[in-house]
Amino acid sequence: MLLLMIAAGLGLVTLLVVFFKPQIRQYAAGGVCQSAATLNGKTVLITGANTGIGKETALDLARRGARVIMACRDVDKGEEAAAGIRGAYPPALVEVRELDLADTCSIRAFAETLLREINQLHVLINNAGVMMCPYTKTVDGFEMHIGVNHLGHFLLTHLLIGLLKRSAPARIVVVSSLAHNFGWIRFHDLHSQGSYNSGLAYCQSKLANVLFARELARRLRGTEVTVNSVHPGTVNSDLTRHSTLMTIFFTVFAMFLKTPREGAQTSIYCALAEELHAISGKHFSDCAPAFVAPQGRSEETARRLWEVSCELLGVEWD
Ligand SMILES: NC(=O)C1=CN([C@@H]2O[C@H](COP(=O)(O)OP(=O)(O)OC[C@H]3O[C@@H](n4cnc5c(N)ncnc54)[C@H](OP(=O)(O)O)[C@@H]3O)[C@@H](O)[C@H]2O)C=CC1
Ligand SMILES: CC1=C(/C=C/C(C)=C/C=C/C(C)=C/C=O)C(C)(C)CCC1
């Protein structure tokens, strides 16, 4: 009897899902960037552009006429993605450059070549990310999440900030996450050497993204370079690759999640929406302002994280 009731219940849910599929998909897709802005003559740099949200962001911005530099750690994967973009939009001005955010030498080499070869950069999208990987260190000995998601992008932005200022008006988009709500900056053990939880390490790095965007915005006041952070939504991408449980969950419930194209909308919005030209230091989700957890609003934590990041990377940035 119980089995029969369970079977009937499951059948009813399946029927409802099939019947309301278009409505469910529309709801899951979330906000769409409505701006018709074009980017002819503008140069955009996107990290982690070979797959997922980064690749879809690159395609959209290339369609709008931008020259898009796809910064990827695996050049072959990057070239494959660039070929896909050219296939979808033949006039696309996309190019792939090698950048491994887990290696400060790679970041410095990337920036050095870029600064020699281009003289304008209008949009920087710090998109690349790693989630819930087993305990690993970057080449420089940083825990992988904080190393790639925060410190790697911190150094990259530091090296390119002069170029962005010379190209103003310019924008920086930091791809963070709702996960910042569950994060704390553990200054006493930033690299999780005492204890490691891959989920919490990810959340810490995404909180660092929010704090970095806010602190950088404060320091950039009056420069016409703006910076905002973004939660792209829950997106069915390769991000779950290190967690079998999450990969299964994301595959089974794909219909209720965003596609990478849908997940790219808020990054695109922050990169070009006219109404955001003077907005800086804010957090967005679904192409609208979004809630920031109290620990993401702490000026003191943001300043301290900035100082610690400079120390770890051996840079001076006031
Ligand atoms: N998917 C989601 O639900 C959510 C995603 N986000 C954020 O969105 C961003 C994009 O994620 P998403 O597209 O979903 O994930 P993907 O895994 O599809 O893409 C991540 C990208 O980051 C690149 N990357 C990882 N490590 C490095 C590194 N050391 N150097 C350079 N590039 C690197 C990957 O390259 P490679 O392919 O070579 O590994 C890949 O291009 C991330 O910052 C993520 O935290 C935030 C909230 C939710
Ligand atoms: C409900 C549920 C899950 C859902 C996880 C979700 C929805 C994660 C979203 C992650 C995001 C948004 C990450 C990016 O920053 C698990 C853990 C798979 C399994 C147990 C039940």
Side-chain angles (χ1 to χ4, degrees):
M1 184 62 181
L2 183 70
L3 276 178
L4 206 69
M5 281 172 73
I6 292 172
L10 282 177
L12 184 67
V13 170
T14 311
L15 257 176
L16 282 174
V17 165
V18 171
F19 191 74
F20 289 109
K21 192 176 170 186
Q23 287 83 353
I24 294 171
R25 278 303 311 138
Q26 197 191 348
Y27 180 74
V32 176
C33 176
Q34 304 290 356
S35 172
T38 54
L39 295 173
N40 298 310
K42 304 285 182 195
T43 303
V44 175
L45 168 59
I46 307 174
T47 65
N50 59 282
T51 188
I53 298 166
K55 181 180 165 190
E56 291 300 333
T57 308
L59 171 60
D60 185 286
L61 301 187
R63 276 190 202 279
R64 293 171 190 264
R67 170 187 181 187
V68 180
I69 299 167
M70 302 167 67
C72 308
R73 67 171 153 179
D74 183 329
V75 174
D76 290 341
K77 275 162 87 178
E79 287 297 354
E80 216 175 290
I85 291 175
R86 287 186 205 106
Y89 182 65
L93 296 174
V94 285
E95 61 195 67
V96 177
R97 286 170 189 250
E98 188 176 341
L99 169 69
D100 183 357
L101 289 158
D103 179 357
T104 56
C105 288
S106 168
I107 302 169
R108 287 184 181 281
F110 169 86
E112 211 175 288
T113 315
L114 195 77
L115 291 171
R116 251 199 331 266
E117 294 177 7
I118 70 170
N119 47 27
Q120 292 230 293
L121 181 62
H122 305 95
V123 181
L124 166 64
I125 305 187
N126 289 341
N127 165 83
V130 60
M131 183 175 80
M132 292 177 77
C133 59
Y135 191 75
T136 337
K137 285 187 170 175
T138 66
V139 172
D140 303 272
F142 308 142
E143 185 281 320
M144 192 58 73
H145 292 91
I146 198 77
V148 168
N149 299 358
H150 169 62
L151 292 168
H153 281 123
F154 185 100
L155 179 60
L156 179 69
T157 312
H158 168 67
L159 296 170
L160 299 182
I161 200 70
L163 179 60
L164 285 156
K165 282 181 184 169
R166 290 195 294 282
S167 315
R171 298 187 190 194
I172 302 169
V173 179
V174 179
V175 183
S176 175
S177 169
L178 186 76
H180 83 269
N181 281 281
F182 310 104
W184 297 98
I185 306 296
R186 298 171 70 242
F187 288 108
H188 63 286
D189 189 18
L190 200 65
H191 302 290
S192 311
Q193 285 164 154
S195 69
Y196 180 65
N197 174 300
S198 62
L200 290 181
Y202 177 72
C203 294
Q204 171 177 251
S205 71
K206 292 288 124 179
L207 172 61
N209 289 157
V210 170
L211 291 165
F212 171 54
R214 288 172 75 93
E215 180 65 13
L216 181 56
R218 197 181 65 76
R219 289 166 187 256
L220 287 175
R221 262 181 223 145
T223 62
E224 275 200 285
V225 181
T226 62
V227 50
N228 292 295
S229 60
V230 159
H231 167 58
T234 303
V235 180
N236 192 9
S237 71
D238 291 346
L239 192 70
T240 60
R241 67 185 95 175
H242 295 292
S243 164
T244 312
L245 185 66
M246 282 186 95
T247 304
I248 294 170
F249 179 86
F250 274 48
T251 309
V252 172
F253 293 102
M255 200 177 109
F256 301 94
L257 307 179
K258 290 187 183 186
T259 62
R261 182 166 303 177
E262 290 158 0
Q265 296 305 308
T266 307
S267 294
I268 297 163
Y269 176 72
C270 288
L272 53 75
E274 297 84 344
E275 65 267 31
L276 298 189
H277 77 275
I279 303 295
S280 196
K282 299 284 182 275
H283 186 61
F284 289 86
S285 177
D286 280 326
C287 304
F291 174 79
V292 176
Q295 66 271 32
R297 280 180 259 140
S298 161
E299 284 185 16
E300 195 197 322
T301 314
R303 271 204 197 117
R304 192 168 164 202
L305 178 65
W306 185 280
E307 281 158 19
V308 169
S309 304
C310 285
E311 246 170 64
L312 287 167
L313 294 162
V315 299
E316 277 183 30
W317 190 3
D318 3 274

